[in-house]
Amino acid sequence: MSAPATRDSFKSDSSGSPSTSVITVSGLGKTYATGHVALKDVSLDIRRGEIFALLGPNGAGKTTLISIICGLVNATAGKVEVAGYDIVADYRAARSRIGLVPQELTTDSFESVWATVSFSRGLFGRKANPAHIEKVLRSLSLWDKKDARIMTLSGGMKRRVLIAKALSHEPEVLFLDEPSAGVDVELRRDMWRLVRELRDEGVTIILTTHYLEEAEEMADRVGVIAKGELILVEEKATLMRKLGKKQLTVELTVPLSALPQALADFGLALSGDGTRLTYTYATNREGDDDGLSIAGLLAALSSEGIAFKDLHTEQSSLEDIFVSLVRRAP
Amino acid sequence: MNLQAIRAIYGFEMNRTRRTLGQSVVSPVLSTSLYFVVFGSAIGPRMAEVGGVPYGAFIVPGLMMLTLLTQSISNAAFAIYFPRFTGTIYELLSAPVSPFEIVAGYVGAAATKSTVLGIIILATASLFVPLEIRHPFWVLGFLVLTAVTFSLFGFIIGIWADGFERLQLIPMLVITPLTFLGGTFYSLDMLPPVWRTVTLFNPVVYLVSGFRWSFFGHSDVRVEVSFAMTLAFLAVCLFTVRWMFRTGYRLKS
């Protein structure tokens, strides 16, 4: 048995640039004994230092994917490397780099917070380091609960304990499986802050979530899984631009009875009372020089002598994009 | 070798023992004392000596084995079943630990606990009956070997069990009868010849017999045979555990 590799001895990561992969998933498949196909030929690169959000409806395969990478489930096809180490052949080197916060609140009951977090550190082969454990507990507002038995804690506090356990051994990659499930607003904000701090320290974070708001707020890149297939991986900003829609609403000073012919190309919608014009356009058209931009519309309005008192724009959320993507999935 | 992990698991389990010291130590000591009151003090004086050993002293090795077997099995079975039941096993499976290290931690802790219990029972027994130990090192050797072997067996049950009922099934339905019929309270010479032969298929006979030999210097079966049988059972358990981890049996899907 080989000694656990140290954090500094990366095999395949010499450049250290933020775009190097920290996790490489290739052709991963999982068919459960029941015949249920949970994952089909999933390939994915997670870049070092990014926050990656995995989105998908219930049963899409998000947790299966995470479980395979973390060693809880055996893959039936394909392979996974963590920092260049195969998760099966070099499981020690691979797993010692990973922290996992599971979806369910599965904690010990009778142990103290301090004991359970210290246990996790030992389990991952790291020497006791009370200073680090203290830092983790403080960052999760758990310090004053360190001697409390876990069973006496609220659900939100237990969630914090699970995060503390995952961070106890200073992982390079942190998996958060549905971190906001059943968590109040305050804790969610706390968690987002912590995730950003971790990212700033160089930790790669992979989260699955139902709260699209969370992905939208946090993620650098987004992957969408539906029915076991990874149907899309994209920079969040690009995704929003590509698939997002903007709506411009113009409040008119004088109601219009009908749309002037000169505005026909814009495909505008006029409200029933004639006081509001709505212009829907794809954000990826921004910069196209066909005169159908917002500036083009405003110029056309002014040349038609249509005065307006107010205008505002709305952008479709990741949620809207997600819903439309999943509907389209086979 | 992830020594930190072995230490973490072992320490975690020993803490659990410390926390539940009452049920861990007091109840086996109490039940053993009751056996001595009934079989040693009340009935014992009316019994003839067995192979030159007073009946009260004769049952000591058997009683120690009875506790050792049941405690080893239930400790180790519970230790691995409970994380499976609550779901905290996820951490063990995602940790950089080998099956050997997991087993060393859990089985080591369970075996430590039952060895300590065995010694406590021996101390308790010496309060009731005068005891002279012929081969103290063999006593310790059989004690540790049996504790490890049956903790391993308990570990297997803990992985196999899919409910609390099953966790109790083997200890209740198999181990207790085998121990009672394994010469805990009698010598095989006391049985009719047919039953003596039948009894030789009971593995516990070899444990009790070997253990009794290390106390009093004579036994129902040769001590070498006892020792070999214990090692054989240990090997069977080791291979079973290896197979379970290799296939992910009831641990991984």
Side-chain angles (χ1 to χ4, degrees), chain B residues 72-88:
Chain B
S72 296
I73 290 173
S74 69
N75 282 332
F78 191 78
I80 190 67
Y81 179 73
F82 200 62
R84 286 180 58 219
F85 176 73
T86 60
T88 53

Side-chain angles (χ1 to χ4, degrees), chain A residues 1-2 30 32 70-74 91-92 95 102 106-108 110-111 119-120 122-125 127 162 165, chain B residues 1-2 4-5 8-9 12 19 86-88 90-101 247 251-253:
Chain A
M1 267 171 267
S2 64
K30 174 67 187 177
Y32 283 100
C70 293
L72 306 184
V73 171
N74 293 323
Y91 71 95
R92 280 182 200 273
R95 290 185 196 170
T106 45
T107 56
D108 297 315
F110 305 102
E111 284 70 23
F119 169 76
S120 300
L123 199 59
F124 278 75
K127 283 209 176 68
L162 288 177
K165 280 167 80 73
Chain B
M1 177 86 86
N2 187 347
Q4 297 289 344
I9 297 171
F12 184 91
R19 222 175 28 237
T86 60
T88 53
Y90 85 86
E91 197 177 22
L92 199 61
L93 295 177
S94 68
V97 291
S98 66
F100 173 78
E101 288 148 9
T247 57
L251 288 170
K252 276 188 184 189
S253 47

